[in-house]
Amino acid sequence: MIDFELSPEIERTRQMIHMAAENAMRPIAREYDEREHEKPWDFLNMMWNVSRSSAVSFGGGDKEKKAGPSTRFMTTTVAIEELSWGDAGLYLAIPNAGLGGAAVAAAGTPEQRQRFLARFTEGEPKWAAMAITEPGCGSDSAAITATAVRDGDNWVLNGEKIFVTSGLMAAEKSDGFVVVWATVDKSAGRAGIKAFVVEKGTPGMTVTKVEHKHGIRASDTATIVFEDCRVPFDNILGSPEVPKTTEGFKGVMATFDATRPAVAASAIGIGRAALEFVREALDKAGIKIRYGVAPKKLTTLERDFMDMEANLQAARLLTWRASWMMDEGLRNSLEASMSKAKAGLAVTKVTQKAVELLGPLGYSRKYLLEKWMRDGKINDIFEGTQQINMLIIARRILDYSSKELS
Ligand SMILES: Cc1cc2nc3c(=O)[nH]c(=O)nc-3n(C[C@H](O)[C@H](O)[C@H](O)COP(=O)(O)OP(=O)(O)OC[C@H]3O[C@@H](n4cnc5c(N)ncnc54)[C@H](O)[C@@H]3O)c2cc1C
């Protein structure tokens, strides 16, 4: 049976998060866009208390992996859409296991999941981050140059990672950690790439820069340098062996199966905020969108509006499907990329069109619409750009390897 309704439990969570988004996020959204790098501690502490005591894991990281179907991912997806409707920058700043936690959940052993993730249900607010991107490598993760060399009971990490979301909070300002992708054998290509957990404050790990950004300015994005940074041997996620195939790398890549639907949900939340703003502005001007009218009788504005609505709806259905598959324990790499590609493009188009339709109202800093246009774009860049996700989709549908279709 196909059911597109949210369960009463998820709907209750959605309503609760929506109230928080409306009452605690919207009122401070502009302020923390302008006061980049400052932290809204009252809001962050409140969300930490909500997140650690509920089924929701705001960053897409699964706090604990349970056997059998659950509704954790669907709940999280729905919550992220609401939070991003409130403010995407603030949502990304919420203390949680985030991308780092998603990597541990996807590639770690049960012991590692317990060791690294249990902290997100207790004590003071904490963050975890994931560091893949380097000055010379973004989309092509096989080009990673950061190294991990075994030395007795340690791994010694060297390299520079850029654009690490929540990097500052995870590496220095809380009892969190950073998951670092590095190669243990450059000659093995992708098969040699492994993920390592580096605990906050580990000597040799230094935050050297926090970015000034176009959008999502409430979220910190850091450069982190690793210089002879020693981590315990068992902080390597999964097996330390370098396999003959890229199977090991696929394990690390599985992180994206969880995080791409989360990014897609965030995109949809921002797009929805923009669409609602346009509808309200049109309402005030006495313009109603006429549904059910023959296409040839629609105005251009009505066509544009319906197109925006349809794109967001389609993106949401793909996102829910990818999240539902995670909950069912089904492999969803294709669907996760589909949701991310669709939603990333949808939010870019929807927010730009919204600004275009409303003119000065959309461009003025008096309202949040111009901000949503800036915030939305990141969803088409991180966790695999639009082009990279389209490439992944094509490879999977056509059954081509990354060598055959690059
Ligand atoms: C605000 C922000 C937060 C981020 N957070 C994180 C984080 O937490 N952790 C992390 O590791 N990284 C993070 N990133 C980095 C992000 O994931 C990368 O920017 C992204 O993967 C693209 O890599 P790149 O910038 O090196 O671009 P490139 O890989 O150099 O790509 C440049 C352009 O070429 C296109 N392109 C590349 N290869 C192909 C191809 N084969 N076919 C067609 N087109 C192609 C891309 O789509 C893009 O349009 C963040 C970035 C930003 C801006």
Side-chain angles (χ1 to χ4, degrees):
M1 190 186 80
I2 298 175
D3 185 354
F4 295 102
E5 291 294 314
L6 294 178
S7 70
E9 201 181 320
I10 298 181
E11 178 54 26
R12 266 195 304 278
T13 303
R14 193 193 68 73
Q15 287 176 13
M16 183 192 79
I17 300 283
H18 185 80
M19 270 170 54
E22 189 163 25
N23 300 315
M25 298 176 91
R26 283 283 177 95
I28 60 170
R30 173 64 69 192
E31 184 184 348
Y32 285 94
D33 180 51
E34 289 179 355
R35 291 165 61 189
E36 193 178 14
H37 300 163
E38 285 185 39
K39 293 282 166 204
W41 279 110
D42 287 349
F43 168 71
L44 299 182
N45 283 325
M46 179 188 85
M47 293 314 288
W48 169 253
N49 287 329
V50 172
S51 123
R52 73 198 174 111
S53 59
S54 76
V56 183
S57 151
F58 298 129
D62 208 354
K63 284 179 200 159
E64 55 190 285
K65 226 173 194 169
K66 289 187 181 142
S70 83
T71 55
R72 183 184 289 278
F73 277 92
M74 262 308 288
T75 309
T76 300
T77 294
V78 168
I80 289 174
E81 179 180 329
E82 295 309 317
L83 290 167
S84 301
W85 175 92
D87 186 81
L90 292 170
Y91 145 62
L92 285 168
I94 293 172
N96 69 89
L99 297 179
V104 173
T109 62
E111 183 277 324
Q112 287 172 326
R113 288 203 283 273
Q114 173 61 27
R115 179 153 48 103
F116 296 123
L117 300 184
R119 70 187 74 186
F120 292 98
T121 56
E122 60 201 26
E124 296 299 307
K126 297 172 191 75
W127 285 259
M130 181 161 71
I132 306 168
T133 308
E134 299 180 357
C137 133
S139 302
D140 182 13
S141 36
I144 280 176
T145 60
T147 53
V149 176
R150 184 161 182 190
D151 182 20
D153 289 342
N154 293 136
W155 293 99
V156 182
L157 303 184
N158 278 287
E160 183 182 13
K161 296 290 179 181
I162 60 171
F163 281 91
V164 183
T165 298
S166 298
L168 177 67
M169 302 312 284
E172 293 187 355
K173 304 280 185 194
S174 74
D175 284 333
F177 59 80
V178 181
V179 173
V180 183
W181 289 29
T183 176
V184 294
D185 179 358
K186 190 76 190 140
S187 67
R190 285 194 168 85
I193 294 169
K194 300 282 178 181
F196 300 84
V197 177
V198 184
E199 292 281 1
K200 169 244 178 171
T202 303
M205 173 168 71
T206 316
V207 173
T208 57
K209 182 181 172 190
V210 182
E211 296 289 336
H212 283 289
K213 302 197 300 295
H214 172 70
I216 53 161
R217 286 154 59 92
S219 154
D220 83 75
T221 309
T223 295
I224 309 179
V225 170
F226 298 87
E227 248 174 338
D228 293 334
C229 178
R230 281 181 176 272
V231 300
F233 181 75
D234 58 2
N235 279 25
I236 186 170
L237 292 180
S239 162
E241 300 301 321
V242 176
K244 294 276 175 287
T245 66
T246 54
E247 280 310 311
F249 183 66
K250 281 182 190 159
V252 192
M253 287 297 282
T255 306
F256 295 123
D257 299 350
T259 59
R260 284 179 178 151
V263 171
S266 181
I268 296 160
I270 302 169
R272 201 182 98 211
L275 194 73
E276 286 176 12
F277 187 83
V278 173
R279 194 195 291 276
E280 280 164 26
L282 294 179
D283 271 352
K284 277 188 200 148
I287 302 167
K288 289 263 177 254
I289 304 294
R290 294 168 305 153
Y291 295 93
V293 172
K296 66 180 178 190
K297 292 192 177 157
L298 289 174
T299 62
T300 311
L301 190 147
E302 285 171 326
R303 275 174 186 270
D304 281 347
F305 191 90
M306 287 179 188
D307 190 47
M308 291 154 83
E309 221 173 9
N311 267 304
L312 286 178
Q313 187 66 258
R316 185 185 288 116
L317 289 174
L318 284 169
T319 305
W320 284 8
R321 182 175 178 217
S323 306
W324 171 81
M325 289 176 80
M326 278 299 288
D327 279 334
E328 293 292 311
L330 302 170
R331 192 73 203 267
N332 71 340
S333 307
L334 170 64
E335 291 75 11
S337 279
M338 283 177 163
S339 69
K340 164 78 169 70
K342 178 71 184 170
L345 195 57
V347 71
T348 305
K349 285 188 165 174
V350 165
T351 52
Q352 284 192 4
K353 183 55 89 176
V355 169
E356 185 187 308
L357 290 177
L358 297 188
L361 206 63
Y363 210 68
S364 167
R365 288 170 77 89
K366 189 171 170 196
Y367 303 102
L368 289 171
L369 183 52
E370 64 78 29
K371 178 180 182 308
W372 294 328
M373 189 177 87
R374 289 187 283 113
D375 289 346
K377 184 62 197 170
I378 190 57
N379 297 293
D380 216 20
I381 299 175
F382 61 11
E383 302 298 295
T385 62
Q386 171 69 213
Q387 293 81 357
I388 293 304
N389 277 295
M390 294 299 270
L391 198 57
I392 293 168
I393 294 164
R395 275 185 204 141
R396 289 198 170 259
I397 289 176
L398 301 171
D399 200 19
Y400 282 149
S401 68
S402 50
K403 272 201 187 111
E404 288 167 319
L405 190 60
S406 60

